[in-house]
Each structure stands twice: as C-alpha cells, then as structure tokens.
Amino acid sequence: MVTLDPTRPLIICDADEVLLQFLAGLERFLVRQRCYLDLGSFRIHGNIKHQDTNQPVADEAVTKLIADFFASDTRHLEPVPGAAAALQSLSHHAQIVILSNVPETSRDARIENLHEHGMPYPVIAGKGLKGPVVRNIIGTHSHPVVFIDDLPPNISSVAKETPHVHRLHFIADPRLARLMPASPDAHGRIDDWPQASTWIASVIGAA
Ligand SMILES: [Mg+2]
C-alpha cells in the first residue's frame, strides 16, 4: 500500500481511458490477432469480432485475448493528451495515487509505461469495484480527496463507500465518451485534461 501524507489533499486516479489510451492500444493488439472491436455499444465481450467473418469472438476466447493484451501491451500504451501536464501541476498541491484494475503481473509494466510518459506516481493494482479499495486507501485521511474514473460502476461504488470523496467521470476516447452518459453518482463529467485539471484544482482548494 501507499503511505499517505496526512497534510495534503489526495487524488486517486484511474489509468485506462483516463491517463492511458486503453482502447487505441487494444485495437492495435486486435489487428495483430486479425480481430477488431465493434463499437456499437460500451462493452468488450460480444463486440470483439473476427476480421474475416465479422462474427463475434466467443466469450472465453475474449477473456483470454484481454489477458494476453494486458500481458503483452501494458508496457506500450500511449498517454492521454494533457494528462501528464495536468498531474504534474496538481502534484504541487496534492498527493497522487493511481488506482488501476490491471493484473498484478502487469503492475510493473504499467508503472514503467506511466513513468516513460511523465507520470511517475505510485500504482495500486486493484480488482473489482473500486469503492472498498478507495475506502482502505483513504483510512482516516481528512483532507479533500478526488477520485477519477471512466467506468460508472466504479464511481457509484466510491459514492456508496466513501460519499465524501469528490468524484469526476472522465472518458478519454471520444468514441467511448459518446456512448456513455454522465454517471449519476459523479459530481462532474469532463473528458479533457485541461478542464479536468481546473475542476480538480478548485475542489482541492488549489485554484
Ligand atoms: Mg479505466
């Protein structure tokens, strides 16, 4: 676990589709498998299809593909524009922790990838809904806390477990952003980093 500085606000930030371009990376990987993601809806199972037949890949095979993707490509994702600059600026006013549902075996690759792109922050590899993990991370921390994630179930989970945490819904990929309405359990929905940075700065009292 990460040691928290009790004197500073805390920013707990997701990585995939917030700091890193998960979808674009997955698409590059799928091309190598002669597959593609049909973005008719916001889901992966059922939407990965074979290039040759346009038929969906079976669910078990999709689970294997995603595991292979994390194993081989976590090290090589592209950053979301503006993310590193925003976190760097916010880091003068707050402690930053990255909470990413990446397999534990890919945690080092994720750290190296983020480091390479100017985001050298501690990474916690989570699993499942993030509310209970956020509650554990925060403990008795009493300064403002901001949580940022692209997936509404995580935002709702954090709202339930730690209602005092400020919740920002952020989806970097414009195609996914169009598919996904704002989470009703978020305080804000912003999909670009310069604006998100201003929002977070005002929440932690740094604006
Ligand atoms: Mg994510």
Side-chain angles (χ1 to χ4, degrees):
M1 271 294 172
V2 174
T3 307
L4 289 193
D5 181 344
T7 68
R8 311 181 82 200
L10 175 64
I11 296 168
I12 301 174
C13 191
D14 179 34
D16 288 315
E17 282 317 325
V18 176
L19 302 177
L20 297 169
Q21 297 184 38
F22 171 86
L23 177 63
L26 178 62
E27 287 179 313
R28 284 196 301 275
F29 170 82
L30 289 175
V31 166
R32 306 202 304 265
Q33 321 301 318
R34 301 193 55 76
C35 293
Y36 68 98
L37 183 64
D38 180 349
L39 279 167
S41 60
F42 192 108
R43 61 195 296 270
I44 290 179
H45 285 83
N47 282 359
I48 293 183
K49 299 185 174 171
H50 295 282
Q51 269 176 14
D52 300 337
T53 62
N54 293 320
Q55 291 301 306
V57 176
D59 281 355
E60 321 79 75
V62 169
T63 301
K64 167 87 167 58
L65 275 178
I66 299 300
D68 290 349
F69 166 66
F70 273 113
S72 66
D73 286 25
T74 297
R75 179 67 185 82
H76 308 293
L77 297 186
E78 294 296 325
V80 170
L87 290 190
Q88 216 253 324
S89 151
L90 290 165
S91 72
H92 296 297
H93 310 282
Q95 182 172 7
I96 295 168
V97 172
I98 296 171
L99 172 57
S100 176
N101 277 5
V102 71
E104 184 63 40
T105 46
S106 294
R107 179 169 165 269
D108 287 350
R110 172 128 295 173
I111 290 169
E112 287 166 19
N113 183 221
L114 285 164
H115 207 281
E116 179 182 13
H117 294 300
M119 296 180 268
Y121 308 104
V123 172
I124 295 172
K127 203 173 188 186
L129 289 174
K130 290 186 177 176
V133 185
V134 166
R135 194 184 59 223
N136 281 342
I137 293 171
I138 294 174
T140 56
H141 186 79
S142 60
H143 282 267
V145 182
V146 179
F147 174 77
I148 309 143
D149 206 285
D150 62 314
L151 298 179
N154 284 332
I155 298 206
S156 300
S157 173
V158 169
K160 180 164 166 269
E161 299 289 339
T162 51
H164 66 287
V165 168
H166 301 272
R167 301 171 301 272
L168 178 62
H169 190 195
F170 186 111
I171 307 178
D173 189 285
R175 297 165 296 168
L176 293 180
R178 271 195 295 276
L179 288 171
M180 180 60 74
S183 158
D185 290 322
H187 298 94
R189 165 69 182 268
I190 303 173
D191 297 328
D192 82 85
W193 267 108
Q195 276 189 60
S197 183
T198 304
W199 188 94
I200 295 165
S202 84
V203 165
I204 63 175

